[in-house]
């Protein structure tokens, strides 16, 4: 064996070494990533309640999904999370990063304050925010409003307010990361552009829209795609803030991942849940590709 | 002359001056500082209220004050006396640590091989690993669950951590950083008679330490806060991780918010302390991982 190895040429030795390095990871990626992916897709065409046999069901699960009013509600919710969450968090984080970039005094401390929520766990913070949203004798927000004589707001108990209320901690926790990435992007813009603009006497707004934002495009694309994926997969906050009636009231906050969880691990309708995961995968893929296409071309 | 210049020059000047000449003591700069500081304080308010309430008796929970009138450790004593938080804390720490070590080791192994070796199948392997970035965890939880139940991995530490032992994100990050390691270094080590595994470990790995640290931070934090998979795979309270345990605990004590805040504080304080100590280092790591990964 040793002799055989020594007789190999350098490039052949490299091939041997490469597969020595990659052997364990290869097994991992095949068994823990690719096989389960294939299994999920196959399962989406089957019917299975975890106890009985797996039987072929053809398109049944997808047809059921198409005709399920809850699914369309959930589908809509998921996109509401995305369509509010992504723009709101990016506008806020860019505004903060843009101004924070120009501060020197206590820059590090202020940056740390904005970043701190990123270090928290979504579950713990979901409970903190849930407490904030409680009605008057307990909840912080309503107590705060009451101290100004403003009437109570039903946050988590209202079908219209619950979704934005759950979205708020998700946006809040992600801001720190986005601010840091935006500031790194701003730093990477060469000073000479700004100096040239100053010599030409261009206004601040024009500098922002004609120099800063276009040059920041790679950063913006990256954050848009990343935060969109995050909001489309929202689960921890929703599950914990609506624990007694997950996704409630009346499914008004239920995102796709929560529906998948319910279908698979409460109703044990594995095939139907698998079909929902395939939909989630497709949605993520399409949204990412569309965003990359649109943002790159501009 | 001055009158005519100011309207055009003022905004651009204030925009530029600070980055090149340090803080400008203008009005605008003060307002900017005050607003940003205010925003920063608002940002940490949820954390501050969580901590403050964990030191309050239940009769004080409804107050808006951040300083308890009668500070108490009663909540912590109650929550810890229960004993389960120690177990959950230990589980989380163990799982996050093992997963982090595994990622640091294997992601860099793969990243290195894909970067420094020329072999047939290299491109396909790279694309295959990269493509797993597009597969959401949620799509895999059902097959993982079935796999775990067949192999007896349900409700075990291994069951919780096996899906995260390697990540495409980490592999890609490490590959990017190994590109910066000059091939001459590796060649010199080869002439010295080191084998490839030794070269990777003793020559290349020390050169990418900052990237390894960045990866470790991300993986550790991700596993410390992971929720959906531990929720699915664990059934007995002894195997819960902190987030799953906190959910159960909060559900049990229902409206005793001071206890819930204490549980939340226990699961948050460790990462907050780590952040306070390694702040600059962590932020640099996040930028590195975010931009290169």
């Amino acid at each position: 064996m040793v002799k055989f190895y020594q007789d190999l040429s350098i490039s052949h030795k490299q091939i041997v070494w490469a597969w020595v390095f990659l052997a364990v990871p290869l097994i991992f990626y095949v068994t823990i990533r690719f096989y389960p992916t294939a299994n999920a897709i196959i399962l989406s065409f089957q019917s299975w309640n975890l106890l009985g046999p797996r039987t072929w069901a053809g398109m049944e699960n997808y047809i059921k999904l198409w005709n399920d009013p809850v699914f369309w509600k959930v589908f809509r919710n998921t996109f509401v999370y995305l369509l509010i969450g992504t723009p709101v968090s990016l506008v806020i984080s860019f505004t903060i990063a843009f101004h924070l970039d120009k501060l020197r005094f206590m820059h590090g401390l202020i940056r740390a304050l904005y970043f701190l929520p990123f270090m928290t766990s979504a579950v713990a913070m979901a409970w903190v925010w849930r407490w904030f949203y409680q009605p008057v004798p307990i909840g912080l927000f309503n107590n705060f409003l009451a101290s100004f004589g403003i009437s109570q707001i039903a946050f988590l108990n209202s079908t219209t307010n619950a979704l934005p209320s759950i979205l708020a901690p998700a946006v809040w926790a992600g801001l720190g990361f986005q601010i840091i990435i935006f500031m790194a992007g701003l730093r990477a813009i060469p000073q000479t552009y700004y100096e040239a603009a100053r010599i030409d006497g261009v206004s601040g707004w024009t500098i922002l829209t004609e120099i800063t934002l276009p040059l920041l495009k790679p950063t913006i694309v990256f954050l848009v795609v990343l935060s969109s994926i995050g909001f489309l997969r929202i689960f921890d906050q929703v599950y914990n803030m609506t624990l007694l009636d997950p996704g409630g009231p009346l499914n008004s906050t239920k995102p796709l991942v929560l529906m998948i969880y319910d279908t698979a691990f409460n109703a044990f309708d594995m095939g139907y849940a698998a079909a929902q995961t395939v939909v989630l995968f497709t949605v993520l893929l399409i949204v990412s590709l569309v965003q990359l296409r649109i943002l790159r071309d501009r | 002359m001055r009158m005519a210049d100011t309207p055009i020059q003022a905004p651009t000047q204030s925009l530029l001056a600070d980055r090149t000449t340090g803080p400008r003591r203008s009005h605008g700069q003060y307002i900017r500082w005050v607003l940003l500081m205010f925003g920063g304080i608002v940002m940490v308010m949820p954390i501050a209220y969580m901590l403050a309430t964990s030191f309050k008796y239940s009769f004080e929970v409804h107050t808006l004050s951040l300083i308890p009138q009668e500070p108490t450790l009663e909540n912590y004593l109650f929550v810890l006396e229960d004993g389960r938080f120690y177990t959950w804390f230990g589980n989380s720490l163990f799982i996050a640590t093992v997963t982090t070590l595994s990622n640091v080791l294997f992601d860099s192994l793969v990243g290195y091989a894909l970067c420094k070796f020329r072999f047939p199948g290299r491109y396909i392997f790279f694309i295959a690993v990269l493509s797993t970035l597009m597969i959401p965890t949620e799509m895999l939880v059902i097959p993982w669950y079935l796999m775990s139940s067949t192999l007896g991995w349900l409700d075990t530490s291994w069951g919780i951590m096996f899906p995260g032992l390697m990540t495409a994100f980490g592999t890609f990050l490490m590959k990017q950083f190994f590109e910066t390691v000059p091939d001459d270094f590796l060649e010199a080590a080869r002439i010295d008679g080191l084998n490839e595994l030794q070269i990777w470990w003793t020559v290349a790995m020390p050169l990418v330490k900052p990237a390894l640290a960045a990866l470790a931070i991300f993986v550790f934090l991700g596993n410390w806060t992971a929720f959906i998979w531990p929720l699915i795979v664990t059934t007995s309270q002894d195997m819960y991780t902190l987030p799953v345990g906190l959910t159960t605990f909060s559900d049990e004590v229902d409206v005793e918010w001071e206890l819930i805040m204490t549980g939340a504080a226990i699961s948050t304080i460790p990462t907050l302390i780590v952040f306070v100590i390694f702040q600059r280092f962590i932020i640099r790591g996040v930028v590195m991982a975010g931009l290169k990964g």
Side-chain angles (χ1 to χ4, degrees), chain A residues 113-238:
Chain A
L113 291 178
Y114 284 100
F115 190 76
L116 207 56
F118 184 71
M119 298 296 291
T120 61
S121 94
V123 173
M125 290 305 128
W127 285 94
V128 174
W129 284 75
R130 188 175 170 167
W131 162 51
F132 287 175
Y133 288 137
Q134 295 303 304
V136 133
I138 300 155
L140 192 84
F141 288 157
N142 275 321
N143 281 340
F144 186 72
L145 294 177
S147 69
F148 291 101
I150 301 169
S151 62
Q152 280 198 64
I153 296 175
F155 289 103
L156 294 173
N157 295 329
S158 141
T159 49
T160 48
N161 295 347
L163 193 146
S165 302
I166 289 169
L167 192 56
V171 170
W172 167 77
L175 284 182
F177 174 76
Q178 296 175 347
I179 291 169
I180 298 291
I181 299 294
F182 265 134
M183 285 212 292
L186 287 169
R187 290 283 155 83
I189 298 174
Q191 282 299 309
T192 47
Y193 288 105
Y194 293 116
E195 277 153 23
R198 182 170 54 172
I199 290 163
D200 291 346
V202 180
S203 77
W205 180 253
T206 313
I207 289 180
L208 178 66
T209 54
E210 298 294 324
I211 298 175
T212 311
L213 288 177
L215 286 171
L216 213 54
K217 211 168 74 174
T219 312
I220 296 171
V221 174
F222 170 72
L223 287 178
V224 166
V225 173
L226 207 69
S227 80
S228 301
I229 292 173
F231 286 117
L232 286 172
R233 293 172 53 192
I234 191 166
F235 174 79
D236 300 6
Q237 288 89 354
V238 191

Side-chain angles (χ1 to χ4, degrees), chain A residues 101-102 114 172 191 202 240, chain B residues 12 19 29 36 43 247:
Chain A
D101 186 49
K102 298 193 176 68
Y114 284 100
W172 167 77
Q191 282 299 309
V202 180
N240 281 285
Chain B
T12 32
R19 300 229 306 199
Q29 197 68 352
L36 280 173
M43 282 293 282
T247 302

